[in-house]
Amino acid sequence: MNQRSKCKIWQLTISACVALVYLTFGGQARSQTFTQTGVVLLSQNPNNTSSTQNLSAAQVFRNAYDNRYTWDSKFPGYTAAVELKYGKETYKGRVRVNPDMSVEVTGIDQKEPRQIVENSLGMMLTHRRRVPFDKAHKNSNFKYGTANQSGSVEIIQQQGKTEARYQVSENQLKQVNRSMGNMAVTVDVLNSQKTSAGYLPTRYRTTFRNPKSQEVLGVEDSEDNFEKIGGYYVLTRQIIKDFQQDKLINGAEFHYTDVQLLSNS
């Protein structure tokens, strides 16, 4: 496979992940209404042994959504040094994450590696952005799907003509399934870090399929490390690997050091 094809797949992966995460965790909306359908006795679920009350599918999803670790409104932003290993090259520069979640990358003159850093941070920031449930899931209709022997609960979200399916377990969103045009995307959370303010996914796998044939078009594995700095968990290392037909075709490794929170003044 030539370099142009590799870059094309990389860009497809990043853009699809950003779109999926945005729709799942931070889509903008103005209405504060949503529909709750379906009721389950959570005491029958081994992952929810502490609860014996009936909850709607919307409430189960909402509990997991609100359990995600996000930055609060006082998040000041930060600066850091970045080292990107991409292919056979290593690039070094500086990043600035602003309080409004915008990103600035300096010191990396080449367009492609600079955009890779921007996209990686942008995807992480979408997860960290705090958007109230009622705002993020405008006019959504939630219902229960099929039972899972592993103990997870399938939640189906319908919003207009679009549908997404989630697996919820241990008050966490463990899997997301969504079709976007000619692409079906599944995101599996393989590992997470628990904090006093919610959970942080630290390893996840994104699988891209043809929605009609279910042929696997590509797989991306991501592994993130976070450190608590000044009261906020900040990304300090990320490894992304792209596979096609079980062969590694591309990858990137990010290291963020000298992390300094910006002043609130």
Side-chain angles (χ1 to χ4, degrees):
M1 179 177 295
N2 59 39
Q3 187 65 28
R4 178 175 296 180
S5 298
K6 291 181 180 180
C7 291
K8 184 178 181 180
I9 292 173
W10 173 266
Q11 293 165 359
L12 170 66
T13 301
I14 291 294
S15 61
C17 283
V18 170
L20 178 69
V21 171
Y22 178 81
L23 290 168
T24 303
F25 298 128
Q28 295 300 310
R30 289 173 291 180
S31 173
Q32 293 187 348
T33 62
F34 58 92
T35 304
Q36 302 183 19
T37 61
V39 175
V40 66
L41 185 64
L42 290 188
S43 60
Q44 297 173 352
N45 186 337
N47 291 316
N48 296 280
T49 55
S50 62
S51 176
T52 58
Q53 63 182 4
N54 290 343
L55 293 181
S56 67
Q59 190 61 55
V60 171
F61 181 87
R62 182 174 192 154
N63 290 346
Y65 177 91
D66 289 340
N67 188 38
R68 298 169 305 117
Y69 173 80
T70 55
W71 291 329
D72 60 28
S73 60
K74 297 180 180 180
F75 170 68
Y78 65 89
T79 60
V82 60
E83 179 181 275
L84 166 66
K85 296 180 180 179
Y86 179 55
K88 297 180 180 180
E89 302 295 331
T90 298
Y91 305 90
K92 296 182 180 182
R94 300 283 303 180
V95 301
R96 179 186 174 98
V97 176
N98 296 306
D100 64 358
M101 304 290 185
S102 61
V103 176
E104 301 173 33
V105 179
T106 57
I108 301 178
D109 296 330
Q110 296 91 331
K111 182 178 179 180
E112 184 182 3
R114 185 175 67 250
Q115 287 182 336
I116 289 173
V117 174
E118 292 172 346
N119 289 338
S120 172
L121 286 174
M123 187 161 50
M124 181 274 295
L125 291 171
T126 304
H127 282 288
R128 303 288 78 77
R129 185 186 301 273
R130 181 170 297 182
V131 182
F133 177 85
D134 294 335
K135 185 177 181 180
H137 296 281
K138 173 186 176 183
N139 297 330
S140 290
N141 179 17
F142 295 89
K143 64 181 180 180
Y144 286 105
T146 57
N148 190 312
Q149 292 182 351
S150 68
S152 64
V153 178
E154 183 182 45
I155 304 293
I156 302 173
Q157 177 195 21
Q158 294 176 317
Q159 187 174 25
K161 296 182 179 180
T162 64
E163 179 180 283
R165 292 175 178 263
Y166 306 86
Q167 292 292 332
V168 180
S169 177
E170 299 176 334
N171 209 24
Q172 297 182 20
L173 298 171
K174 296 287 191 177
Q175 185 185 86
V176 184
N177 293 278
R178 185 183 289 273
S179 293
M180 298 180 294
N182 61 351
M183 183 76 65
V185 184
T186 298
V187 180
D188 288 290
V189 176
L190 305 178
N191 200 7
S192 60
Q193 176 180 348
K194 293 183 179 180
T195 78
S196 60
Y199 74 95
L200 272 165
T202 54
R203 186 170 173 234
Y204 40 96
R205 176 174 297 136
T206 307
T207 304
F208 302 90
R209 292 185 175 86
N210 181 309
K212 294 182 178 180
S213 67
Q214 293 301 305
E215 175 191 3
V216 175
L217 304 176
V219 175
E220 178 186 276
D221 275 349
S222 300
E223 184 177 347
D224 298 349
N225 284 18
F226 293 88
E227 294 183 21
K228 192 174 184 179
I229 299 174
Y232 294 95
Y233 285 90
V234 176
L235 182 69
T236 56
R237 184 174 73 99
Q238 183 178 60
I239 299 175
I240 300 177
K241 297 179 180 180
D242 285 345
F243 298 88
Q244 192 175 46
Q245 297 178 347
D246 296 326
K247 294 182 179 180
L248 179 67
I249 62 165
N250 213 344
E253 185 171 342
F254 308 80
H255 292 270
Y256 298 97
T257 56
D258 188 28
V259 178
Q260 303 287 334
L261 294 184
L262 299 175
S263 173
N264 278 310
S265 59

